[in-house]
Amino acid sequence: MLRLNRGTRYFFFIKGDPTTITYRFVYDKIQSESLPKALLEEGWTKITQSGHWHVITNEKPFELIKTSPVREGIIKHNRLIMYIFGSISIYLTTMTILFVGIFSLVAFSQDTPSKVVESPYWILTYIYFSAVLALWILSNYSVIKINKTNKDLSRENIPLYALHDIDQSEIRRSKNKEKQLKRSGQMVVKRKFGWMYAPDKLEHWLESMEEQGYHLYRMSKRGITFYFIIGNPRKVSYCADFQNTTDESYNDLHRDSGWKNAFISDSPFLKWTLWSRQYSAGEERPQIYSDKSHHLKHARRIATTYSCLFLPLMLINTLNIKFSMESTTFNNNLDTLQIISMISLTFVVLSFGSFIARTWLYYMRLRKQYTNYT
């Protein structure tokens, strides 16, 4: 390979004798003419650079390469693109649901059947909805593809022996067994919606359940439903941990300290992990975030992330409400469809606003808690 062109996506090669070479792409905003000393000693060589993208190669056999370039730059770059596509997907999905819901409600609430009027501009409507559908498919595909790529990149430099093995004693019971436990009263199922906007309240709730003898057995895939098995009261510390991205080395760090995974979210954007650790009555409650400044920074990142996620959606829906009100004022007529539309959009804006408010209230509670301790 000689060089690459990022604009045209062209790769230029020089024909030569067949050989085996390991290639790695690196994304680094800090411009540097040479590689780090550790990579140079391992045999890596930079062959070309285009913008922030670097292409490096190593002629050693792959199994003999002990040191590889860090992929954090690519992961962060991919994550930004994934957030953009994810926001587009969320917006299009939300607006489609609102449109279909409002249209269906109005259509079924009228006494007379709806009439479709032919228009010479139907082709523009078809083109518009086709473009929206194509954009929605592209956004979802990009999110899934980028999320999978980031997972592969995160695990790339982890040795096989460091990967977490499944403990056979923790294999989940079958659904039939769970049904038997529910019928016998030994299993209790509860639901918590929106706990990620106030993780401290979730932690306190789970710990109080454990003190009452309700042992958390598992959570549903979406993290809404909690399954408890009735047993003896015990002391268990819970920590809801939010990370933009995690890998097995990060998880193994907590496992080595005695923490267990109670739940790991599947979301490609907002990665939540619920950790648990049992302790004796005389012991101090263990915490993952023992440093005050680190804990506050973690809480602030949660509030900032959800604010960046929901504020644009609030703004878009607020503008839609404004345009609807201006249209009503101009026409001096307010029909059923406009009323339902404005009510629905107002509900969406208030819901997103409450999510943002709850995350910042969580941060302020935590800051007040540490202030009282000092």
Side-chain angles (χ1 to χ4, degrees), residues 1 21-24 35 39 43-47 55-60 65:
M1 179 175 172
I21 298 178
T22 301
Y23 281 84
R24 286 292 181 270
L35 296 175
L39 294 180
W44 291 97
T45 304
K46 183 168 73 172
I47 59 172
V55 182
I56 64 176
T57 61
N58 197 319
E59 296 183 359
K60 293 171 60 175
I65 299 176

Side-chain angles (χ1 to χ4, degrees), residues 171-291:
I171 294 179
R172 301 301 183 189
R173 296 174 173 86
S174 66
K175 290 188 176 182
N176 291 332
K177 181 63 176 178
E178 287 189 5
K179 290 180 180 179
Q180 294 177 5
L181 291 173
K182 291 177 186 177
R183 284 194 291 264
S184 64
Q186 294 177 284
M187 177 177 285
V188 177
V189 181
K190 294 184 178 293
R191 290 175 174 81
K192 280 278 184 181
F193 295 94
W195 56 263
M196 63 288 300
Y197 309 122
D200 57 333
K201 294 186 177 181
L202 173 73
E203 295 167 356
H204 295 156
W205 176 66
L206 290 173
E207 291 172 2
S208 65
M209 293 291 288
E210 293 282 355
E211 292 177 352
Q212 299 174 45
Y214 295 94
H215 303 169
L216 180 62
Y217 165 61
R218 71 176 181 90
M219 294 171 60
S220 63
K221 188 176 182 180
R222 300 300 178 188
I224 297 175
T225 308
F226 297 76
Y227 297 81
F228 297 90
I229 292 180
I230 299 177
N232 297 323
R234 61 180 184 177
K235 289 282 188 178
V236 179
S237 176
Y238 283 93
C239 176
D241 185 26
F242 171 80
Q243 299 292 332
N244 289 329
T245 181
T246 60
D247 53 37
E248 283 299 321
S249 61
Y250 174 83
N251 293 331
D252 287 338
L253 179 66
H254 295 312
R255 294 189 187 108
D256 293 340
S257 301
W259 293 88
K260 293 184 178 181
N261 291 115
F263 170 74
I264 300 179
S265 66
D266 291 332
S267 172
F269 304 104
L270 311 172
K271 182 67 66 176
W272 281 96
T273 304
L274 182 63
W275 296 95
S276 67
R277 181 178 174 182
Q278 188 173 352
Y279 63 101
S280 303
E283 294 182 48
E284 183 179 356
R285 177 181 176 270
Q287 300 182 53
I288 286 183
Y289 294 98
S290 56
D291 182 71

